[in-house]
Amino acid sequence: MYKVISLILFILVYKFSYSETIIRFSHVVSVDSPKGIAVEKFKTELEKISSGRLKVLIYPEGTLFDDIPVIEALKKNIVQMAAPSFSKFSDKIRDFQVFDIPFLFNNIKDIHNFYNSKAISILNRETENFGLKILDFWDNDFKHITCSKRLIKKPEDLKGLKVRTMGSNILNAQFKIVGAMPYTYPFGSLKHILEEGLIDCQENTFNNIYSQKLYNSQKYLTVSSHGYLGYAVVISKKFWESLSGEEKKLIMEALKKTTAYERELAQRKNFTDFFRLSHNSNLYVYKLSEEEKVYWITFFKRHKNLFLNYLSSEMAKEIQEMGLY
């Protein structure tokens, strides 16, 4: 009898010690996009170094949640991790809109320097107060404008056109001031609404334009680099606080490797996909001249105060002190 009890206790202890911790990771893009590939790499890395004790279940292409509802789902610990684009946080955490300000950043180096700035400390605090924790930032690239109606050479060319946005106040304001009509639609429905002619134009990275085959329903691509599209890798704060110190360490170790890989992959894929769009699609690709680019920058910076008013006073002050705006 004693041996039977001892065996049962041993089995229970063994099972408890080696039980799996499930991490549900939800995202909306295709599995072959930089983010989709990175999530798979994160899964592989984490399950390897944890010997399978931390298991990642991936739900791609919005199979569980779109980028906006997933934020509430994370807060409630229905899913544990996600990597929404910055603008999708705007209704809950307003300062994520800082990334949506047109021409705030000149290049990818500016973006990465910003990730290490005091502004991110502000964002970290606001995100944790909401119930999430930022673990890292992933890249996509700078956005450009495609259109089915006409070639966009200057901001005013967008006047009267319907433009799909990701929904933040700053993104919508960006198009309203040029006389365009912004409409918010989920990423998963973007290809369909363009094919149906419900929307005339949209802004996106080369990779998203190519991988989603948006070139089939658009005629013109303006290489504007007017805004940045990146992702915050976030985890449910409730879930994070339930983890042991060792589990947290393993997650961050796997994520560090994944982030370095994802950033390099994003740049490579966008470079390759720009070549494909330029040579293997029906899009007319137009690159702004230096003079035209200066005009775009000057045009939007005239509306600086409008954009800054959508941020907290603390964040607005910080980016001004950094000399970004």
Side-chain angles (χ1 to χ4, degrees), residues 21-25 46 54-57 80-81 239 251:
T21 297
I22 303 296
I23 301 173
R24 295 171 181 82
F25 201 129
L46 184 57
L54 290 168
K55 187 174 181 63
V56 181
L57 302 181
Q80 287 68 53
M81 289 184 70
F239 176 72
I251 288 172

Side-chain angles (χ1 to χ4, degrees), residues 86-94 96-97 167-169:
F86 299 136
S87 60
K88 299 301 175 67
F89 290 93
S90 61
D91 282 347
K92 310 294 183 183
I93 308 162
R94 63 188 292 194
F96 265 105
Q97 293 180 98
S168 79
N169 289 321

Side-chain angles (χ1 to χ4, degrees), residues 229-242:
L229 175 57
Y231 311 108
V233 183
V234 289
I235 194 165
S236 164
K237 186 179 177 182
K238 181 178 180 181
F239 176 72
W240 181 256
E241 291 176 345
S242 73

Side-chain angles (χ1 to χ4, degrees), residues 102-103 144-165 171-183 199-203 218 220 222 224 226 295-296 299-300:
F103 298 105
H144 314 279
I145 295 172
T146 68
C147 200
S148 62
K149 297 290 187 182
R150 55 179 175 261
L151 176 62
I152 308 301
K153 289 187 176 183
K154 56 185 186 297
E156 294 91 338
D157 291 336
L158 286 158
K159 185 175 181 179
L161 298 177
K162 293 175 285 186
V163 185
R164 180 263 178 180
T165 77
L171 289 182
N172 290 338
Q174 167 188 266
F175 289 109
K176 285 179 180 178
I177 62 179
V178 302
M181 297 170 283
Y183 292 88
I199 293 296
D200 304 313
C201 311
Q202 62 91 42
E203 56 173 2
Q218 301 280 274
Y220 307 101
T222 301
S224 55
H226 62 280
Y295 180 82
W296 280 68
F299 177 92
F300 282 108

Side-chain angles (χ1 to χ4, degrees), residues 128-141:
E128 291 203 30
N129 287 342
F130 177 73
L132 309 180
K133 181 177 178 60
I134 301 172
L135 299 183
D136 216 330
F137 297 99
W138 287 352
D139 292 338
N140 194 314
D141 203 0

Side-chain angles (χ1 to χ4, degrees), residues 6-7 18 36 49-50 53 59 62 66 69 73 97 101 117 138 141 143 167 179 250 257 266 275 306:
S6 297
L7 180 60
Y18 290 89
I49 62 175
S50 70
R53 285 180 291 126
Y59 299 90
D66 181 46
Q97 293 180 98
I101 297 175
S117 71
W138 287 352
D141 203 0
K143 296 179 293 183
L250 291 172
K257 292 180 181 178
F275 181 87
L306 171 65

